[in-house]
């Protein structure tokens, strides 16, 4: 019988201490992709050694790239150049990682060889038409299931041409996919986004010496260039830091210092939303590493209040809503989230699954088509299910800080996709958490 992991959280506790959370997942993926396609040797430090980023790493090894490490977050990638990848011998298995599948589909659409992309049960249910459709407009040949899901069968040897793509949803994965295909497409490729989304691909391409231009919400790339290897220092992931930003806000007598966190303005919605809720957050030591802004973030306990979350902050905090819902549950008054239907197509339906879990814990949380209405209240104990979604599991663990009885969270093994040392780091700060293998 297969084993699964449950988190057992005792109620209460404070959060105190200074930590550095693991490297940024989005930047780690991109460091492998661009490092592999560059001419020369790329050194990466701060790489996220977690299942999602390791799936990307394995995919490039399967396509003939020599990558040394990871060793303590350090990697050495021997770039093969834009046209140096080799046909993989078998389907590329990308586990739980939507970023790997969507970005790779763009990159592989322009190769001379055929490839197949597969994923786990969750990834195999996620929408891929959003990438195959613009890629088809560029001349790519990709077959999906009838539902538009993986496996993706990508036909090599197609000649792609640039498009001017008006992206219907605010998605950095779709934008990045089209831009990466644009490296191989004749002429100019542009993506116009309905709202700003994370721009790590654009920044890193620039860091590798590849020209990307932006005018308002439109990003443009031309084919015909090359990538020059460079060194990458991956900052800590603000999406992992988010659990402690909320944790130290909602727990009494808490103060946490999070070191060297990426504060790219396309990712800092969590800080803006928490500040609107009354959080005590201070940013210091701001610098730039490899084109990405980083800083230390200090957070102290505060009484949060409910707010209407401004729609323009939604794409800038898209991965942080599970834990923001917990913040809302601990806040005074009502919090309303709208314009966030994208949450329904993440690793699970994060609106439904969070509403179900919060209700089990005694919170009045009403899911809506595109968000949630949460009435702050007293969090009770109970047993909730994460549906194999890493961020749901960690969010409910943080809820324990404000709960008045133990919380058990089922199906937490996937925390390893983004934040393997979560339990250990959360416990070191003061969360009463234990991870238990169950059959
Ligand atoms: C990511 C983009 C976001 C985010 C995901 C990582 C990326 O997805 O949710 O965790 O690295 O580009 P969408 O582009 O689907 O919003």
């Amino acid at each position: 019988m297969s084993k699964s992991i449950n988190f057992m959280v005792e109620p209460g506790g404070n959060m105190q201490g200074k930590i550095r959370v693991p490297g940024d997942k989005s930047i780690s993926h991109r460091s492998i992709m661009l490092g592999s396609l560059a001419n020369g040797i790329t050194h990466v430090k701060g790489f996220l050694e977690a299942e999602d980023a390791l799936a990307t790493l394995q995919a490039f090894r399967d396509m003939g790239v020599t990558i040394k490490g990871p060793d303590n977050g350090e990697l050495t990638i021997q770039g093969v150049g834009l046209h140096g990848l080799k046909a993989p011998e078998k389907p590329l298995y990308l586990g739980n990682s939507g970023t790997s599948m969507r970005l790779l589909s763009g990159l592989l659409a322009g190769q001379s060889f055929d490839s197949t992309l597969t994923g786990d049960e969750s990834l195999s249910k996620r929408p891929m038409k959003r990438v195959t459709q613009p890629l088809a407009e560029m001349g790519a040949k990709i077959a999906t299931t009838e539902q538009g899901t993986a496996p993706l069968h990508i036909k090599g040897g197609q000649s792609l041409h640039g498009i001017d793509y008006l992206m219907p949803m605010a998605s950095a994965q779709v934008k990045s996919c089209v831009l990466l295909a644009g490296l191989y497409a004749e002429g100019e490729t542009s993506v116009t986004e309905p709202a700003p989304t994370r721009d790590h691909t654009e920044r890193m391409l620039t860091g590798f010496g590849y020209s990307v231009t932006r005018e308002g919400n439109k990003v443009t790339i031309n084919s015909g260039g090359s990538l020059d290897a460079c060194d990458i220092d991956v900052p800590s992931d603000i999406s992992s830091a988010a659990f402690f930003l909320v944790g130290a806000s909602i727990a009494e007598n808490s103060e946490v210092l999070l070191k060297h966190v990426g504060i790219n303005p396309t990712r800092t919605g969590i800080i803006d939303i928490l500040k609107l809720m009354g959080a005590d957050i201070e940013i210091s030591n701001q610098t730039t590493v490899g084109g990405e802004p980083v800083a230390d973030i200090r957070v102290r306990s505060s009484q949060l209040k409910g707010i209407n979350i401004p729609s323009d902050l939604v794409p800038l905090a898209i991965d942080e809503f599970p834990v923001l819902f917990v913040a809302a549950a601990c806040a005074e008054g009502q919090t309303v989230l709208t314009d966030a239907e994208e949450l329904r197509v993440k690793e699970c339906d994060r609106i439904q699954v969070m509403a179900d879990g919060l209700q089990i814990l005694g919170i009045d949380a009403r899911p809506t088509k595109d968000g949630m209405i949460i009435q702050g209240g007293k969090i009770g104990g109970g047993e909730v299910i994460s549906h194999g979604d890493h961020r749901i599991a960690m969010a409910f663990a943080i809820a324990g800080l404000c709960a008045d009885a133990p919380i058990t969270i089922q199906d937490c093994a996937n925390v390893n996709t983004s934040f393997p040392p979560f339990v250990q780091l959360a416990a070191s700060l003061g969360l009463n958490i234990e991870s238990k293998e169950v059959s």
Side-chain angles (χ1 to χ4, degrees):
M1 189 180 271
S2 72
K3 293 257 198 291
S4 126
I5 300 286
N6 282 359
F7 289 169
M8 328 281 284
V9 183
E10 288 298 315
N14 348 70
M15 294 213 121
Q16 297 275 354
K18 177 168 93 173
I19 55 167
R20 180 167 171 162
V21 300
D24 188 277
K25 182 151 76 73
S26 293
I27 299 176
S28 295
H29 283 297
R30 288 156 172 85
S31 72
I32 299 282
M33 295 180 189
L34 299 192
S36 296
L37 296 176
N39 297 319
I41 293 178
T42 289
H43 294 284
V44 183
K45 61 179 190 182
F47 180 79
L48 173 66
E49 295 185 45
E51 285 170 8
D52 275 15
L54 291 171
T56 293
L57 188 154
Q58 187 57 45
F60 281 86
R61 281 195 176 135
D62 291 349
M63 291 188 285
V65 182
T66 302
I67 303 173
K68 212 171 103 207
D71 185 5
N72 239 327
E74 297 200 10
L75 289 176
T76 305
I77 307 170
Q78 285 179 14
V80 296
L82 276 172
H83 298 281
L85 294 177
K86 296 206 173 82
E89 277 171 13
K90 51 184 188 344
L92 300 169
Y93 176 70
L94 303 170
N96 195 241
S97 178
T99 307
S100 310
M101 187 167 282
R102 296 209 178 103
L103 271 59
L104 271 173
S105 66
L107 228 162
L108 293 174
Q111 306 299 321
S112 57
F113 51 82
D114 297 351
S115 51
T116 298
L117 305 182
T118 63
D120 70 3
E121 198 189 328
S122 151
L123 184 54
S124 302
K125 287 192 197 132
R126 296 182 67 187
M128 292 298 149
K129 276 243 160 73
R130 52 177 61 199
V131 288
T132 57
Q133 194 243 323
L135 291 173
E137 282 180 37
M138 297 176 81
K141 292 235 162 5
I142 304 178
T144 64
T145 64
E146 234 170 76
Q147 293 76 40
T149 52
L152 304 183
H153 298 284
I154 304 173
K155 191 101 198 93
Q158 308 302 308
S159 33
L160 305 187
H161 51 84
I163 55 168
D164 190 349
Y165 189 56
L166 220 55
M167 190 167 62
M169 71 292 284
S171 165
Q173 292 179 353
V174 176
K175 172 179 63 175
S176 302
C177 162
V178 174
L179 291 176
L180 292 174
L183 293 171
Y184 298 93
E186 201 192 312
E188 187 175 282
T189 300
S190 298
V191 181
T192 303
E193 39 187 8
T197 65
R198 66 191 67 190
D199 62 359
H200 306 300
T201 303
E202 299 92 299
R203 285 177 190 250
M204 199 181 285
L205 280 165
T206 308
F208 276 88
Y210 206 102
S211 163
V212 183
T213 56
R214 174 176 280 272
E215 266 181 79
N217 276 359
K218 182 172 182 170
V219 194
T220 302
I221 196 168
N222 277 282
S223 58
S226 60
L227 299 167
D228 304 322
C230 66
D231 289 350
I232 296 174
D233 181 354
V234 182
S236 290
D237 199 327
I238 190 166
S239 297
S240 296
F243 297 101
F244 306 125
L245 291 175
V246 171
S249 295
I250 64 175
E252 287 176 355
N253 299 322
S254 297
E255 178 168 345
V256 169
L257 181 66
L258 296 153
K259 301 285 292 173
H260 203 71
V261 182
I263 54 157
N264 179 315
T266 59
R267 298 286 299 281
T268 44
I270 172 81
I271 295 176
D272 297 331
I273 293 169
L274 283 174
K275 278 189 168 168
L276 288 173
M277 296 176 82
D280 180 353
I281 295 176
E282 222 176 83
I283 295 191
S284 61
N285 285 336
Q286 284 198 47
T287 61
T288 304
V289 290
E292 290 281 351
V294 299
D296 296 339
I297 310 178
R298 186 181 301 278
V299 53
R300 299 184 179 90
S301 320
S302 54
Q303 175 57 60
L304 300 181
K305 56 181 189 338
I307 58 163
N308 292 334
I309 298 176
S311 293
D312 58 328
L313 293 178
V314 170
L316 312 181
I318 196 66
D319 290 335
E320 282 62 80
F321 285 102
V323 77
L324 277 168
F325 293 146
V326 169
C330 300
E332 245 169 43
Q334 180 175 276
T335 295
V336 180
L337 173 69
T338 54
D339 288 319
E341 53 270 83
E342 278 294 303
L343 295 180
R344 292 203 180 269
V345 291
K346 293 293 176 190
E347 285 83 329
C348 72
D349 177 346
R350 286 183 173 163
I351 292 176
Q352 194 59 49
V353 169
M354 281 305 298
D356 289 347
L358 287 172
Q359 284 166 15
I360 288 170
L361 301 180
I363 296 294
D364 175 4
R366 270 169 294 148
T368 61
K369 171 178 74 58
D370 62 348
M372 201 170 338
I373 303 171
I374 300 175
Q375 209 59 51
K378 191 71 217 145
I379 298 184
E383 186 146 345
V384 297
I385 308 174
S386 81
H387 289 267
D389 183 325
H390 54 139
R391 300 201 199 279
I392 304 274
M394 293 186 276
F396 280 120
I398 291 298
L401 291 160
C402 255
D404 58 14
I407 300 177
T408 297
I409 307 141
Q410 293 179 12
D411 200 7
C412 299
N414 269 351
V415 164
N416 281 335
T417 60
S418 68
F419 196 168
F422 171 75
V423 167
Q424 181 201 328
L425 281 179
S428 77
L429 292 175
L431 180 69
N432 297 307
I433 183 169
E434 230 183 284
S435 171
K436 240 193 174 152
E437 223 175 69
V438 288
S439 41

